[in-house]
Amino acid sequence: MKLPVHKYGDPILRKKGALVTEVTPEIHKLIAAMFETMEAHHGVGLAAQQVGHALQLTVIDIRPIEDRPSTLHLNGKPADPNSFMPLVLLNPVVLPVGEPVAGPEGCLSFPKIYGDVERPESVDVTATNEKGEKVSFRAGGLLARCVQHETDHLNGILFIDRMGRETKEELKPDLDDLQAATKAALKKGKK
Ligand code: ZN
C-alpha cells in the first residue's frame, strides 16, 4: 500500500525514532508499504518518519541511480552493492570513515528541492535487518551518502541542516513556501 509522504514543516520529521526491538508483522507490513511508496516516487531511500512513524527504520535501494557509483565492503572484503539491495536498516548506527565530500541530494519530503551536502565519503554501519539479524558493512559513494541521509531522518535531522549557509540561503524562499504550505495543509486537515 502506497503511503502519503510527510513534507517539510510537518513536526513528525523532527521526531527521533524509537528503537525497533522486535520485527513484528506490523513492522513487516510497514516495510513493504515503505518500499512501495519509495518506488512510486523514484526515491532511493525512505525513513519511517517520512510516512508518519517515529521509528528507527529505513529502507534503501540505490539501484535506480546508475551514474553515481557506490562501494560496499562485507567483512573487510569488497562486495557488489547492487546484490546487497534492497536494504532494510533497523536501529542503524553509523560511524564516519574518511574525509567529508560534497555531493547533490534531494529528499522525498522536499519535492523539487536539491542542494549540495558535505558528508564523510565512507561509513561503517551496524544495524538489524528485516529478519532481526545483525548486519554490519562499510559503504562508500552514493550508498554511504544515502545511509547517512536516512539515518539522519531517524534522529529528526534533515539534509537542509547539513547544507552550507550559502546553499541554504539560496533555497530559503522555496523552503519557506514548502513549510507554509505543509502547515496550512495540516491545519486544514485538523479542522
Ligand atoms: Zn530524505
Side-chain angles (χ1 to χ4, degrees):
M1 191 182 63
K2 207 179 119 188
L3 303 168
V5 176
H6 293 240
K7 306 291 189 320
Y8 176 55
D10 190 322
I12 185 78
L13 295 179
R14 289 299 185 186
K15 283 200 180 138
K16 190 176 160 69
L19 288 174
V20 180
T21 51
E22 201 189 339
V23 189
T24 59
E26 284 74 31
I27 292 287
H28 275 296
K29 245 192 223 166
L30 179 59
I31 290 169
M34 284 172 68
F35 273 117
E36 204 176 312
T37 306
M38 181 176 85
E39 280 154 23
H41 292 279
H42 308 286
V44 291
L46 188 69
Q49 277 79 349
Q50 293 178 278
V51 291
H53 297 266
L55 292 171
Q56 297 277 326
L57 159 62
T58 179
V59 300
I60 289 171
D61 193 340
I62 49 144
R63 285 175 295 184
I65 298 185
E66 291 174 1
D67 59 347
R68 294 174 67 187
S70 297
T71 60
L72 175 70
H73 283 79
L74 294 171
N75 305 314
K77 289 190 187 119
D80 175 17
N82 283 348
S83 65
F84 202 52
M85 300 293 127
L87 193 55
V88 176
L89 300 177
L90 300 162
N91 317 320
V93 175
V94 171
L95 293 174
V97 182
E99 294 300 307
V101 286
E105 286 186 28
C107 180
L108 295 184
S109 295
F110 295 76
K112 298 187 195 118
I113 292 174
Y114 302 92
D116 272 5
V117 180
E118 264 195 28
R119 298 188 188 271
E121 221 269 297
S122 303
V123 282
D124 280 332
V125 185
T126 52
T128 302
N129 69 13
E130 71 278 16
K131 293 171 198 147
E133 303 160 342
K134 273 259 170 284
V135 289
S136 61
F137 58 93
R138 176 169 289 187
L142 177 66
L143 179 58
R145 181 168 293 281
C146 188
V147 167
Q148 292 178 82
H149 178 117
E150 300 311 326
T151 304
D152 272 351
H153 270 301
L154 307 185
N155 293 300
I157 299 165
L158 301 171
F159 77 143
I160 54 168
D161 304 343
R162 304 239 186 238
M163 281 176 185
R165 196 171 49 87
E166 273 181 33
T167 310
K168 209 178 159 183
E169 257 167 34
E170 250 169 60
L171 294 175
K172 194 172 184 300
D174 292 338
L175 291 172
D176 288 348
D177 285 353
L178 175 58
Q179 192 173 43
T182 302
K183 287 197 168 147
L186 286 173
K187 211 170 165 189
K188 212 174 158 192
K190 270 181 196 151
K191 268 182 196 160

